[in-house]
Amino acid sequence: MTIAAIHAETLKQPLGGHDRVAYACRMDVELEDSALMLRYRDGDAAAFEALYRRHNNSLYRYLLRLSLNRDTAEDLFQEAWGKIINSRHNYRPTAKFSTFLFRVAHNCFIDHLRKNKRHTAETNIDPDLSPNPGEQPDQSVENQLARRKLDACLREIPPEQRDVFLLYEEAGMSIDEIATITSVNRETAKSRLRYAVGKLKVAFSEQGSPGSTGRNGDAE
Amino acid sequence: MQNNPDIDIAEGVVDKFLSAQYQRLADETVPDSLDRMVLRAARNERSEGQAGRSRPAAWFRQAAWVAVAALSVAVILEFNEANVFSPPTGISDRVPPMEDRFREFLEAADIAAEQVRDAEAAAANATQNVGSSRESMPLEDHRSLETTLQPNNRECTSEQRAAVSSWWKCIGSLESLGATELAERELAALMGAFPGFAVPEK
């Protein structure tokens, strides 16, 4: 289906809020990201909210672990979405929206690094100590410790390798998409990912196996 | 890369253990306040964008530029008329060059010198003729000659005009020398300057 056809089709479909998106999901006509962005460009705020809900947490975690600082991550998160909002009139769905979004976020982080040379020395994620819904207190403490280990492992690898690893894990990018976002060739991106994975495996094994419950609340 | 099955993502083969560990642990979500901030920004931006088409923002910027340009041109023209930007040219237009002024000075000096020579010559001739012809001259010619020779025969000096008595004395001398018209003008001036002056009877 061409972009024009997607756009024309999405304009026919009603979308008044987040519940409408859920309705669209049930009907197996979930709108693509680019279609939602086009609808937002045409004035549909609900389309943006639906789009935002799809990517907000993954983008947040990407920036959180990339910057290793909660305040910085929140600033970059807001800045990245602000750029998405401001550029909606010029948006052309030539690539996946997620690629566009994470590229904007990646560039925000690069700009932040250039402005703040001391960034790498400031590590402060401050994990939220409140237990997740359905999580036992003991389990929560154990998970917090595991997260600290994860962050410590991520801190040990260079930012370029960490960036590639997070793009793969959080955004689900392919090597080609990662190469596009980080503005390197495919082999460089692949090499960075290989090094990142190798180092993280070693670090994980040295620090012991982290916790057993996580993002989906599933127990091992 | 094909030798390492843990990393070859292109074929979907990754380090599943590491990936699973990461996915379990990295479960942070966006703070609600941040969510609200972004969504509010998106709504505000959309409403501003929709309203912006009907507001004068688009043409206002262009109109502002035109106004600034017009004001600039007006100010520059005003300054040009006032010769603010060209002081050397204005000065040279109003003040003649040094050479011209020097030439005018020399010409004036020549004229003055010539007048002095003429006056000296006339005085010398008059002096020579006074002694020989004074008795034989008619009274009117004599008076005329006296008038010519008197330094104060044309009008009263400012020092004489400073006081009524000296001014009146001067007028009397003019009358005695026959400069009646001049004496009458001086008397009129005296009466104008000193209205309360009573002409003494002769």
Side-chain angles (χ1 to χ4, degrees):
Chain A
M1 183 181 288
T2 63
I3 296 301
I6 292 172
H7 190 199
E9 186 176 330
T10 56
L11 289 177
K12 293 175 188 171
Q13 297 168 6
L15 186 61
H18 194 50
D19 52 338
R20 300 282 182 89
V21 178
Y23 164 78
C25 292
R26 287 197 302 273
M27 297 295 289
D28 291 333
V29 286
E30 185 178 3
L31 297 177
E32 292 186 10
D33 290 345
S34 55
L36 289 172
M37 188 63 186
L38 290 171
R39 290 185 71 141
Y40 175 59
R41 186 189 68 181
D42 293 337
D44 188 350
F48 177 82
E49 185 166 353
L51 185 63
Y52 175 80
R53 299 289 182 197
R54 285 184 189 177
H55 299 283
N56 61 342
N57 288 330
S58 58
L59 183 72
Y60 179 71
R61 286 191 293 267
Y62 165 74
L63 290 170
L64 186 65
R65 298 237 145 64
L66 186 61
S67 65
L68 297 171
N69 185 290
R70 188 173 296 275
D71 292 337
T72 302
E74 291 183 1
D75 288 345
L76 294 175
F77 179 84
Q78 200 173 345
E79 183 183 349
W81 280 111
K83 287 185 176 180
I84 297 293
I85 291 167
N86 291 331
S87 65
R88 68 193 184 282
H89 292 305
N90 301 321
Y91 176 72
R92 297 287 180 274
T94 53
K96 280 171 63 179
F97 175 78
S98 58
T99 307
F100 172 51
L101 174 64
F102 279 85
R103 179 164 196 160
V104 168
H106 168 85
N107 290 338
C108 288
F109 177 69
I110 297 298
D111 289 343
H112 169 78
L113 281 186
R114 287 177 182 150
K115 292 174 189 170
N116 303 277
K117 302 290 184 186
R118 291 176 59 250
H119 166 81
T120 51
E122 300 170 359
T123 303
N124 175 29
I125 289 186
D126 291 335
D128 186 6
L129 296 178
S130 60
N132 290 334
E135 201 175 46
Q136 296 300 320
D138 292 346
Q139 212 172 44
S140 175
V141 172
E142 188 181 346
N143 285 342
Q144 294 300 338
L145 291 173
R147 285 189 198 100
R148 287 185 184 180
K149 288 178 183 175
L150 170 66
D151 293 337
C153 293
L154 285 169
R155 195 169 54 239
E156 295 301 315
I157 62 175
E160 299 84 8
Q161 296 175 14
R162 190 165 68 235
D163 193 1
V164 169
F165 175 77
L166 292 170
L167 284 171
Y168 170 72
E169 289 294 345
E170 289 297 348
M173 301 278 176
S174 67
I175 290 286
D176 289 324
E177 289 169 332
I178 291 171
T180 300
I181 289 173
T182 55
S183 301
V184 297
N185 61 44
R186 188 179 192 280
E187 290 306 314
T188 303
K190 194 171 181 178
S191 174
R192 285 179 179 175
L193 183 59
R194 185 186 62 192
Y195 279 113
V197 169
K199 288 176 184 175
L200 285 172
K201 279 178 69 177
V202 172
F204 264 70
S205 62
E206 285 176 352
Q207 295 198 24
S209 178
S212 57
T213 61
R215 188 178 298 182
N216 301 319
D218 53 344
E220 232 178 19
Chain B
M1 302 299 161
Q2 298 295 331
N3 296 332
N4 190 345
D6 285 349
I7 306 170
D8 197 344
I9 299 171
E11 273 71 34
V13 180
V14 294
D15 188 334
K16 291 182 179 177
F17 172 75
L18 178 64
S19 185
Q21 294 286 51
Y22 178 85
Q23 296 292 330
R24 272 196 300 272
L25 294 173
D27 61 349
E28 294 88 351
T29 55
V30 183
D32 290 341
S33 58
L34 197 54
D35 271 342
R36 284 194 298 271
M37 206 178 296
V38 172
L39 292 173
R40 187 168 57 239
R43 280 192 296 271
N44 292 342
E45 190 68 26
R46 183 190 64 88
S47 58
E48 283 179 12
Q50 286 178 334
R53 293 188 179 85
S54 60
R55 286 187 307 178
W59 60 265
F60 184 76
R61 188 179 300 173
Q62 295 178 357
W65 278 111
V66 170
V68 168
L71 281 173
S72 304
V73 170
V75 169
I76 289 170
L77 289 176
E78 189 73 19
F79 281 0
N80 273 342
E81 286 182 6
N83 287 328
V84 170
F85 295 139
S86 54
T89 310
I91 290 172
S92 63
D93 288 342
R94 289 192 294 271
V95 180
M98 184 64 77
E99 291 180 2
D100 292 348
R101 283 186 284 165
F102 187 64
R103 189 172 60 248
E104 289 172 2
F105 172 75
L106 290 179
E107 289 173 357
D110 290 342
I111 292 170
E114 191 175 347
Q115 289 175 345
V116 168
R117 281 196 300 273
D118 292 345
E120 286 176 350
N125 291 334
T127 307
Q128 287 176 357
N129 295 331
V130 165
S132 59
S133 60
R134 190 158 189 164
E135 289 78 13
S136 61
M137 284 174 67
L139 182 58
E140 290 179 2
D141 291 344
H142 172 70
R143 286 179 179 172
S144 171
L145 180 62
E146 289 292 328
T147 304
T148 304
L149 293 177
Q150 283 290 332
N152 297 331
N153 61 346
R154 296 179 187 272
E155 58 183 6
C156 300
T157 63
S158 56
E159 289 81 6
Q160 290 170 325
R161 288 173 180 164
V164 176
S165 57
S166 58
W167 200 345
W168 173 247
K169 192 180 290 181
C170 172
I171 291 170
S173 64
L174 287 172
E175 284 180 343
S176 63
L177 289 171
T180 312
E181 291 181 1
L182 188 57
E184 288 176 354
R185 284 203 300 272
E186 288 292 333
L187 180 59
L190 172 64
M191 294 303 291
F194 301 95
F197 176 68
V199 178
E201 292 183 3
K202 295 182 180 177

